[in-house]
């Protein structure tokens, strides 16, 4: 994450979490599926809230009371995260008040938030554990890597994975310095 981006986000937010307003444990969060860490794609957020974004099963609705203010923030990535968390919390009253243009709504829905559980893309490892961006996994089988001259060996650790948002059976990560796509059926979550 660029120091310039972090400084601009701190200037923009007054060095406070753009969701809760707290000024403790702040981190830069790149709002998926964007890949370029610019202020137009990132927010400054409390580490605890970021952990809840990444691990929905840990959500504490009381920690998200700031959404009723952040949903009106003038910065689009803050609106996107607010929309996603309101959808996850099923707060339809506030969601009905929000307005996002077509492109912004497409960005907000890119991670599957707001969809019925039936239509939502969920990534699971070979044991049925949920996979999220930033997780670490281990390969459970030797895999021939297409387009490269090596085999990813069973037991190889893949850290800081990225889930492929439009395909529940794929994740991305680095093995032996190569960025590859891996099928979820061949990995086991380690943390």
């Amino acid at each position: 994450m660029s120091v310039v981006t972090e400084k601009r986000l701190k200037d923009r937010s007054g060095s406070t979490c753009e969701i809760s307003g707290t000024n403790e444990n702040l981190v830069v969060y790149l709002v998926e599926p964007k890949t370029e860490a610019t202020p137009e794609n990132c927010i400054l957020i409390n580490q605890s809230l970021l952990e809840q974004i990444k691990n929905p099963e840990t959500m504490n609705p009381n920690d998200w009371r700031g959404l009723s203010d952040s949903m009106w923030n003038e910065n689009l990535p803050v609106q996107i995260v607010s929309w996603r968390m309101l959808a996850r919390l099923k707060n339809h009253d506030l969601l009905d008040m929000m307005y996002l243009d077509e492109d912004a709504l497409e960005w907000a829905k890119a991670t599957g938030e707001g969809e019925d559980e039936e239509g939502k893309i969920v990534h699971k490892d070979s044991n049925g554990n949920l996979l999220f961006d930033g997780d670490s996994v281990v390969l459970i089988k030797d895999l021939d890597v297409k387009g490269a001259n090596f085999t990813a060996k069973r037991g190889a650790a893949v850290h800081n994975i990225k889930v492929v948002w439009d395909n529940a059976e794929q994740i991305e990560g680095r093995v032996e310095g190569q960025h590859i796509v891996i099928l979820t059926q061949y990995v086991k979550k380690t943390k």
Side-chain angles (χ1 to χ4, degrees):
M1 210 56 59
S2 132
V3 175
V4 173
T5 296
E6 185 172 358
K7 181 179 180 346
R8 287 185 51 203
L9 289 173
K10 285 181 177 179
D11 291 345
R12 175 175 93 186
S13 68
S15 293
T16 61
C17 172
E18 295 183 278
I19 301 295
S20 68
T22 184
N23 58 4
E24 298 173 359
N25 302 321
L26 300 176
V27 293
V28 175
Y29 171 51
L30 175 62
V31 182
E32 285 107 3
K34 301 293 185 183
T35 56
E36 189 178 352
T38 65
E40 295 77 24
N41 296 337
C42 297
I43 68 169
L44 199 59
I45 191 167
N46 175 275
Q47 179 70 43
S48 167
L49 294 183
L50 180 56
E51 292 302 319
Q52 291 180 49
I53 289 172
K54 291 181 176 182
N55 301 300
E57 64 276 1
T58 66
M59 288 283 291
N60 179 353
N62 287 331
D63 293 345
W64 296 93
R65 290 185 302 242
L67 290 172
S68 58
D69 292 327
S70 66
M71 65 186 260
W72 303 112
N73 191 294
E74 63 187 15
N75 299 294
L76 187 56
V78 178
Q79 293 174 25
I80 299 300
V81 172
S82 298
W83 187 95
R84 288 177 181 171
M85 294 306 99
L86 288 169
R88 187 181 291 177
L89 293 167
K90 298 185 182 350
N91 189 329
H92 297 290
D93 292 337
L94 291 180
L95 272 175
D96 290 344
M97 285 192 257
M98 275 191 86
Y99 171 77
L100 296 175
D101 67 29
E102 199 172 303
D103 291 339
L105 190 57
E106 185 177 321
W107 181 11
K109 290 181 175 181
T111 59
E113 294 296 344
E115 292 180 12
D116 296 340
E117 289 301 314
E118 189 175 300
K120 190 172 182 178
I121 293 178
V122 177
H123 295 76
K124 293 184 179 181
D125 73 359
S126 59
N127 294 329
N129 297 312
L130 293 175
L131 296 172
F132 300 99
D133 282 346
D135 284 346
S136 293
V137 297
V138 172
L139 300 180
I140 61 168
K141 170 182 176 174
D142 287 353
L143 301 174
D144 290 326
V145 180
K146 293 180 181 174
N149 287 332
F150 76 96
T151 299
K153 296 291 183 190
R154 177 180 174 201
V158 184
H159 301 287
N160 199 20
I161 65 165
K162 295 288 273 177
V163 297
V164 176
W165 290 106
D166 58 353
N167 189 332
E169 296 178 1
Q170 296 179 346
I171 59 171
E172 297 177 359
R174 287 199 169 285
V175 176
E176 295 185 23
Q178 294 275 345
H179 181 84
I180 63 172
V181 175
I182 307 166
L183 295 179
T184 57
Q185 67 192 22
Y186 300 127
V187 300
K188 180 174 72 173
K189 188 172 181 175
T190 60
K191 66 171 188 166

